[in-house]
Amino acid sequence: MSTLFTKIINKEIPADIVYEDDICLAFRDINPQAPVHLLIIPKKEIVSIDTLTDDDKDILGHIMVTTAKIAKQEGLDENGYRVVTNIGVNGGQSVFHLHFHLLGGRKLTWPPG
Ligand code: 5GP
């Protein structure tokens, strides 16, 4: 089932897009939890890590490499950053289209709540 992220991919609702290619899209989170808070998503409608198949390996590899490039572009590579994906209700997922949070620009605490 499509989510609002599909509408962002299709430019039906606005987002502050920082990177786009055929496979993925990165845009600023509407409710940032750090000075830099981006969401990196596949254009393919995948619900979460939990629903990945072998066919998605190239997409995921591409997203991880691209995430590192975007982190550098945002100036986060020197001091470090966090990449996290929430899965399902207990994981804290609220939008059921796979997304990786890229958080940085401050010292992040661990463990998360
Ligand atoms: P989740 O809780 O599913 O891991 O993360 C969903 C994220 O999407 C949240 O951090 C939330 O702030 C963000 N978000 C929800 N709706 C929108 C929207 O319309 N635009 C943008 N840019 N981010 C959104």
Side-chain angles (χ1 to χ4, degrees), residues 31-53:
N31 182 24
Q33 302 300 310
V36 176
H37 185 173
L38 303 178
L39 301 172
I40 298 96
I41 69 172
K43 289 192 168 173
K44 180 179 174 184
E45 289 186 339
I46 299 170
V47 173
S48 75
I49 285 282
D50 194 51
T51 65
L52 288 173
T53 70

Side-chain angles (χ1 to χ4, degrees), residues 54-101:
D54 283 337
D55 289 345
D56 299 322
K57 285 177 178 174
D58 286 350
I59 294 174
L60 265 288
H62 177 77
I63 287 178
M64 289 295 97
V65 171
T66 301
T67 297
K69 287 180 184 167
I70 294 169
K72 281 189 183 65
Q73 191 178 293
E74 294 286 325
L76 300 177
D77 52 321
E78 190 177 329
N79 291 321
Y81 53 92
R82 185 172 294 164
V83 178
V84 64
T85 186
N86 297 325
I87 301 148
V89 174
N90 276 5
Q93 186 174 9
S94 61
V95 178
F96 291 87
H97 181 125
L98 176 63
H99 50 282
F100 294 89
H101 297 260

